[in-house]
Every structure is written in structure tokens, then in C-alpha cells.
Amino acid sequence: MDTAAFPAVDLAYLRSILGEPEGPTTQKITDFLDDNCLTFLAHSPFCCLSTSDAAGNCDCSPRGDYPGFVRAIDSRTVVIPDRLGNKIADSMTNILDNGHVGLLCFVPGMTETLRINGTATVTNDPSLLAMLEQDHSVPDLAIVVRTEQVYLHCGRALLRAGLWDADMQDLADEVPTSGAIWASMSGYDPSVGDVIDDAMAGSYRALY
């Protein structure tokens, strides 16, 4: 469906519905990581990285590793190791085009998230990469982010979603397997989905 079929509101209408943010909401936004934010990052094993290219084509990529893998170098700089992935490299090619990025960091069981917006570069600096060694593996590349906005986002979305509720994990049983989805989107016969699932299970086991 053409999205033009839906009416688009302007800023004046948007603010008439939502109102303006109140003082405490904007006062919490800083351009640096304080001690509490540093502690949050040290316990975060997962984040989403949002990027876009020079034309504005967007991407949002999940990133996960040991708690603290988004490493704070100082109060204005964080670095993210590049681990084994699908080699499409959307995030890094976008950063080469347009350095503006957004990070949303999670701590399991915590309803609030930490948002970091800033400017990123991709580096192969040997001393920096050595700091990111994990399980005797040193990454070949890393993403360095200079913070411009840092703030704790309220937990309403995660609470509404019941994201950390054990019962919610039953929803995964209602979804086709990753192999089935992959085969369908690639135009393969459904039987190929089982082969993909077996291959992915083996590659996942190799991580642990």
C-alpha cells in the first residue's frame, strides 16, 4: 500500500496532541556518560545500533556480547567491537557515508534503557582492538562513537511488552523458525528451511 494514502500530520498538530516535554525530561539529557551510565554500560550485553547512509536509507542492527562489550574509553567515547556476522556490513558502510548513529543499550531484567546518540567512525587501531579481546579473539574492526546525547529512557515500552517476563518467551513457539523464514524470503523450497536451521544451530553452538 502506498503510504501517501494515509494523512500526514505536521509539527503543530503533533505537539497539540502530545504536548511539550517537561523540564525533568529534558534535564536528564547530557552529552557525556556519568558514573551511573558507565555502570549501566558495564552490565549491558546487548544493544541496537541505528545508522543511515548519506541518502537517508536507514538500518538498525542488533549487537550482543559479554556484559560491558560497549566499552567506555572515557566519559565522551564508547567503542563497539565488530564480531562475526553476516558480512553485509550495513552499519559500517553507513557510518563511512554518514557518521550519525544511535545506540539503545539493554540490561536484562531492567525496564529502562540507555540511549546514546553521537558521531561514529570505523577503526582498525591495534591498541584499541587489543583492549576488546574476548575469548582469545581480537576483532579486526571496531566502531568508535563520540557521544552527543546520553539519557536513560523510561521503561514503559518494555513493561507494556513484558519483554523480560518468562511467559512471553512462549511466543517464540508460535513463530516460524528462522530457517523457514529465510527459505521463504529467498524463494527456496520449504524443505531448505530445515537445512538452514540445522546449519545455524551448529554455527550458534560454535559460539559457546
Side-chain angles (χ1 to χ4, degrees), residues 104-192:
L104 186 64
C105 302
F106 296 75
V107 172
M110 187 168 183
T111 55
E112 291 76 24
T113 52
L114 186 67
R115 295 179 61 163
I116 300 174
N117 299 319
T119 305
T121 56
V122 179
T123 185
N124 64 349
D125 180 82
S127 60
L128 186 59
L129 296 176
M131 293 173 53
L132 303 173
E133 179 180 354
Q134 174 71 13
D135 297 328
H136 308 294
S137 175
V138 177
D140 295 321
L141 296 168
I143 297 169
V144 180
V145 180
R146 183 69 171 171
T147 64
E148 295 170 357
Q149 284 187 319
V150 178
Y151 59 100
L152 195 70
H153 196 98
C154 78
R156 291 189 183 94
L158 272 65
L159 287 170
R160 292 185 187 118
L163 189 64
W164 306 125
D165 295 350
D167 291 345
M168 295 298 284
Q169 295 184 19
D170 294 339
L171 292 173
D173 296 332
E174 307 301 322
V175 179
T177 67
S178 56
I181 295 172
W182 190 334
S184 174
M185 296 184 72
S186 301
Y188 296 143
D189 185 91
S191 62
V192 177

Side-chain angles (χ1 to χ4, degrees), residues 177-179 191-205:
T177 67
S178 56
S191 62
V192 177
D194 295 333
V195 177
I196 295 173
D197 282 329
D198 289 342
M200 292 182 69
S203 66
Y204 289 159
R205 283 194 296 271

